[in-house]
Short mmCIF file of all heavy atoms in Angstrom, two decimals:
data_model
loop_
_atom_site.label_atom_id
_atom_site.label_comp_id
_atom_site.label_asym_id
_atom_site.label_seq_id
_atom_site.Cartn_x
_atom_site.Cartn_y
_atom_site.Cartn_z
N ARG A 1056 236.27 75.10 168.70
CA ARG A 1056 235.72 75.80 169.87
C ARG A 1056 234.77 76.90 169.39
O ARG A 1056 235.06 77.59 168.41
CB ARG A 1056 236.88 76.40 170.66
CG ARG A 1056 236.50 77.27 171.85
CD ARG A 1056 237.76 77.72 172.55
NE ARG A 1056 237.54 78.88 173.38
CZ ARG A 1056 238.51 79.57 173.97
NH1 ARG A 1056 239.78 79.21 173.81
NH2 ARG A 1056 238.23 80.63 174.72
N PRO A 1057 233.60 77.08 170.07
CA PRO A 1057 232.67 78.12 169.64
C PRO A 1057 233.35 79.49 169.57
O PRO A 1057 234.04 79.90 170.51
CB PRO A 1057 231.58 78.09 170.72
CG PRO A 1057 231.62 76.69 171.24
CD PRO A 1057 233.07 76.29 171.20
N LEU A 1058 233.14 80.18 168.46
CA LEU A 1058 233.79 81.48 168.25
C LEU A 1058 233.47 82.46 169.37
O LEU A 1058 234.33 83.22 169.81
CB LEU A 1058 233.34 82.05 166.89
CG LEU A 1058 233.94 83.39 166.46
CD1 LEU A 1058 235.42 83.24 166.16
CD2 LEU A 1058 233.20 83.94 165.25
N ASN A 1059 232.22 82.44 169.84
CA ASN A 1059 231.81 83.43 170.83
C ASN A 1059 232.35 83.16 172.23
O ASN A 1059 232.08 83.92 173.16
CB ASN A 1059 230.28 83.55 170.88
CG ASN A 1059 229.58 82.24 171.18
OD1 ASN A 1059 230.21 81.26 171.60
ND2 ASN A 1059 228.27 82.20 170.97
N THR A 1060 233.14 82.10 172.41
CA THR A 1060 233.76 81.84 173.71
C THR A 1060 235.18 82.39 173.79
O THR A 1060 235.81 82.33 174.85
CB THR A 1060 233.79 80.33 174.03
OG1 THR A 1060 234.67 79.66 173.11
CG2 THR A 1060 232.40 79.73 173.96
N TYR A 1061 235.70 82.91 172.68
CA TYR A 1061 237.06 83.45 172.68
C TYR A 1061 237.07 84.88 173.23
O TYR A 1061 236.33 85.74 172.72
CB TYR A 1061 237.64 83.49 171.27
CG TYR A 1061 238.13 82.16 170.74
CD1 TYR A 1061 237.26 81.28 170.09
CD2 TYR A 1061 239.47 81.79 170.86
CE1 TYR A 1061 237.71 80.07 169.59
CE2 TYR A 1061 239.93 80.58 170.36
CZ TYR A 1061 239.04 79.73 169.73
OH TYR A 1061 239.50 78.53 169.24
N PRO A 1062 237.90 85.19 174.22
CA PRO A 1062 238.12 86.59 174.58
C PRO A 1062 238.73 87.32 173.38
O PRO A 1062 239.44 86.72 172.57
CB PRO A 1062 239.12 86.51 175.74
CG PRO A 1062 239.02 85.11 176.26
CD PRO A 1062 238.66 84.26 175.07
N GLN A 1063 238.47 88.62 173.28
CA GLN A 1063 238.88 89.37 172.10
C GLN A 1063 240.38 89.30 171.86
O GLN A 1063 240.84 89.15 170.72
CB GLN A 1063 238.45 90.83 172.23
CG GLN A 1063 238.67 91.67 170.98
CD GLN A 1063 237.95 91.10 169.75
OE1 GLN A 1063 236.81 90.66 169.86
NE2 GLN A 1063 238.61 91.11 168.61
N LYS A 1064 241.17 89.37 172.92
CA LYS A 1064 242.62 89.37 172.74
C LYS A 1064 243.11 88.01 172.25
O LYS A 1064 244.00 87.92 171.41
CB LYS A 1064 243.30 89.74 174.05
CG LYS A 1064 244.77 90.11 173.89
CD LYS A 1064 245.32 90.75 175.14
CE LYS A 1064 246.74 91.22 174.92
NZ LYS A 1064 247.29 91.91 176.11
N GLU A 1065 242.50 86.93 172.75
CA GLU A 1065 242.88 85.60 172.30
C GLU A 1065 242.49 85.40 170.84
O GLU A 1065 243.24 84.81 170.06
CB GLU A 1065 242.20 84.55 173.18
CG GLU A 1065 242.63 83.12 172.88
CD GLU A 1065 241.95 82.10 173.77
OE1 GLU A 1065 241.24 82.49 174.72
OE2 GLU A 1065 242.12 80.89 173.50
N LEU A 1066 241.31 85.91 170.47
CA LEU A 1066 240.85 85.80 169.09
C LEU A 1066 241.77 86.57 168.15
O LEU A 1066 242.05 86.13 167.03
CB LEU A 1066 239.42 86.32 168.97
CG LEU A 1066 238.73 86.14 167.63
CD1 LEU A 1066 238.57 84.66 167.28
CD2 LEU A 1066 237.37 86.83 167.62
N ALA A 1067 242.26 87.72 168.62
CA ALA A 1067 243.13 88.55 167.79
C ALA A 1067 244.50 87.92 167.55
O ALA A 1067 245.25 88.38 166.69
CB ALA A 1067 243.29 89.93 168.43
N LYS A 1068 244.83 86.89 168.31
CA LYS A 1068 246.06 86.14 168.03
C LYS A 1068 245.85 85.08 166.96
O LYS A 1068 246.82 84.52 166.44
CB LYS A 1068 246.56 85.47 169.31
CG LYS A 1068 247.08 86.44 170.36
CD LYS A 1068 247.56 85.69 171.60
CE LYS A 1068 248.09 86.66 172.65
NZ LYS A 1068 248.54 85.95 173.87
N LEU A 1069 244.58 84.83 166.63
CA LEU A 1069 244.25 83.79 165.65
C LEU A 1069 243.75 84.36 164.33
O LEU A 1069 244.03 83.79 163.27
CB LEU A 1069 243.18 82.85 166.23
CG LEU A 1069 243.59 82.02 167.44
CD1 LEU A 1069 242.38 81.30 168.01
CD2 LEU A 1069 244.67 81.02 167.06
N ILE A 1070 242.99 85.46 164.38
CA ILE A 1070 242.36 86.01 163.18
C ILE A 1070 242.71 87.49 163.03
O ILE A 1070 242.56 88.27 163.98
CB ILE A 1070 240.82 85.87 163.24
CG1 ILE A 1070 240.41 84.40 163.24
CG2 ILE A 1070 240.17 86.59 162.06
CD1 ILE A 1070 238.90 84.19 163.32
N SER A 1071 243.15 87.88 161.83
CA SER A 1071 243.29 89.29 161.49
C SER A 1071 242.34 89.61 160.34
O SER A 1071 242.06 88.76 159.49
CB SER A 1071 244.73 89.63 161.11
OG SER A 1071 245.21 88.77 160.10
N TYR A 1072 241.86 90.84 160.32
CA TYR A 1072 240.86 91.28 159.33
C TYR A 1072 241.40 92.48 158.58
O TYR A 1072 241.84 93.46 159.18
CB TYR A 1072 239.56 91.63 160.05
CG TYR A 1072 238.53 92.30 159.16
CD1 TYR A 1072 237.91 91.59 158.14
CD2 TYR A 1072 238.19 93.63 159.36
CE1 TYR A 1072 236.96 92.21 157.33
CE2 TYR A 1072 237.24 94.25 158.56
CZ TYR A 1072 236.63 93.53 157.54
OH TYR A 1072 235.70 94.14 156.74
N VAL A 1073 241.39 92.39 157.26
CA VAL A 1073 241.89 93.47 156.39
C VAL A 1073 240.70 94.07 155.65
O VAL A 1073 240.17 93.46 154.72
CB VAL A 1073 242.93 92.95 155.39
CG1 VAL A 1073 243.45 94.10 154.52
CG2 VAL A 1073 244.09 92.26 156.10
N PRO A 1074 240.26 95.27 156.04
CA PRO A 1074 239.14 95.91 155.34
C PRO A 1074 239.60 96.51 154.02
O PRO A 1074 240.79 96.48 153.68
CB PRO A 1074 238.71 97.00 156.32
CG PRO A 1074 239.98 97.38 157.01
CD PRO A 1074 240.78 96.11 157.12
N GLN A 1075 238.67 97.07 153.27
CA GLN A 1075 239.04 97.80 152.06
C GLN A 1075 239.81 99.06 152.46
O GLN A 1075 239.53 99.69 153.48
CB GLN A 1075 237.78 98.19 151.28
CG GLN A 1075 237.02 97.01 150.71
CD GLN A 1075 235.82 97.44 149.89
OE1 GLN A 1075 235.86 98.43 149.19
NE2 GLN A 1075 234.74 96.68 149.99
N ALA A 1076 240.79 99.43 151.64
CA ALA A 1076 241.63 100.58 151.96
C ALA A 1076 240.90 101.90 151.81
O ALA A 1076 241.30 102.90 152.39
CB ALA A 1076 242.87 100.57 151.07
N GLU A 1077 239.83 101.91 151.03
CA GLU A 1077 239.09 103.15 150.79
C GLU A 1077 238.63 103.76 152.11
O GLU A 1077 237.97 103.12 152.92
CB GLU A 1077 237.87 102.87 149.90
CG GLU A 1077 237.14 104.11 149.42
CD GLU A 1077 237.88 104.86 148.33
OE1 GLU A 1077 238.95 104.40 147.91
OE2 GLU A 1077 237.36 105.89 147.89
N GLY A 1078 239.03 105.01 152.37
CA GLY A 1078 238.62 105.69 153.59
C GLY A 1078 239.50 105.39 154.79
O GLY A 1078 239.22 105.84 155.90
N ALA A 1079 240.60 104.61 154.59
CA ALA A 1079 241.47 104.26 155.71
C ALA A 1079 242.45 105.39 156.00
O ALA A 1079 243.66 105.26 155.83
CB ALA A 1079 242.22 102.97 155.40
N ASN A 1080 241.94 106.54 156.45
CA ASN A 1080 242.77 107.72 156.71
C ASN A 1080 243.03 107.86 158.21
O ASN A 1080 242.54 108.77 158.86
CB ASN A 1080 242.10 108.98 156.15
CG ASN A 1080 242.03 108.96 154.64
OD1 ASN A 1080 242.97 108.54 153.97
ND2 ASN A 1080 240.91 109.39 154.08
N PHE A 1081 243.80 106.94 158.75
CA PHE A 1081 244.07 106.94 160.18
C PHE A 1081 245.14 107.99 160.51
O PHE A 1081 246.06 108.22 159.73
CB PHE A 1081 244.55 105.55 160.61
CG PHE A 1081 243.60 104.45 160.26
CD1 PHE A 1081 243.84 103.62 159.17
CD2 PHE A 1081 242.45 104.26 161.01
CE1 PHE A 1081 242.96 102.60 158.85
CE2 PHE A 1081 241.56 103.24 160.69
CZ PHE A 1081 241.81 102.42 159.61
N PRO A 1082 245.05 108.62 161.70
CA PRO A 1082 245.99 109.70 162.05
C PRO A 1082 247.31 109.17 162.61
O PRO A 1082 247.77 109.58 163.67
CB PRO A 1082 245.21 110.48 163.12
CG PRO A 1082 244.40 109.44 163.80
CD PRO A 1082 244.01 108.45 162.73
N PHE A 1083 247.93 108.24 161.87
CA PHE A 1083 249.18 107.64 162.31
C PHE A 1083 250.14 107.58 161.12
O PHE A 1083 249.73 107.59 159.97
CB PHE A 1083 248.97 106.20 162.82
CG PHE A 1083 247.97 106.07 163.93
CD1 PHE A 1083 246.71 105.56 163.68
CD2 PHE A 1083 248.29 106.46 165.22
CE1 PHE A 1083 245.79 105.43 164.70
CE2 PHE A 1083 247.37 106.33 166.24
CZ PHE A 1083 246.12 105.81 165.98
#
């Protein structure tokens, strides 16, 4: 199915993205 037809929430059930940890200073 074309990637651009997936709603964001549906896509997030299929694909997760792990960025580089550098600068990952989240307030949690």
